[in-house]
Structure formats: C-alpha cells, structure tokens
Amino acid sequence: MVYSGDSAPMLVLENKHSYSWDICISASEVSSGVTFYSYDDIAQAFSNYGVYAAQV
C-alpha cells in the first residue's frame, strides 16, 4: 500500500454482512512510503475468527 504520513497504516478488514468483527493487521515491512502485509499475518488474523484463507 502506498501512503503518505508519519506512520504506516494498518490494514483493516471488516465482515461486510454483519460488521461483527474488524481485523487489524500491521505492516510487515515499510519502505519509502510503501507498506507490505504478509500473507501469513492476514491468514492468521482470519483464522482467529474461524475464517480460513486459501492461498492463491
């Protein structure tokens, strides 16, 4: 994700059907205004809510 500012943004995901949970994921790497989020961090966050992401 490309951003401008003093700190890297968090990736926030929300259940679109019930809005019952928010998943907040910190950047795994930050470089010159670009953040990267790891698949493993995203998959782990989903699995905490019983949702399993398939790797493509």
Side-chain angles (χ1 to χ4, degrees), residues 12-15 19-24 49:
V12 179
L13 308 173
E14 186 172 67
N15 181 329
Y19 304 106
S20 60
W21 46 261
D22 289 324
I23 296 174
C24 297
Y49 288 94

Side-chain angles (χ1 to χ4, degrees), residues 30-51:
V30 179
S31 176
S32 301
V34 178
T35 59
F36 299 89
Y37 303 89
S38 78
Y39 173 83
D40 291 337
D41 289 346
I42 295 168
Q44 180 60 52
F46 272 107
S47 72
N48 291 342
Y49 288 94
V51 177

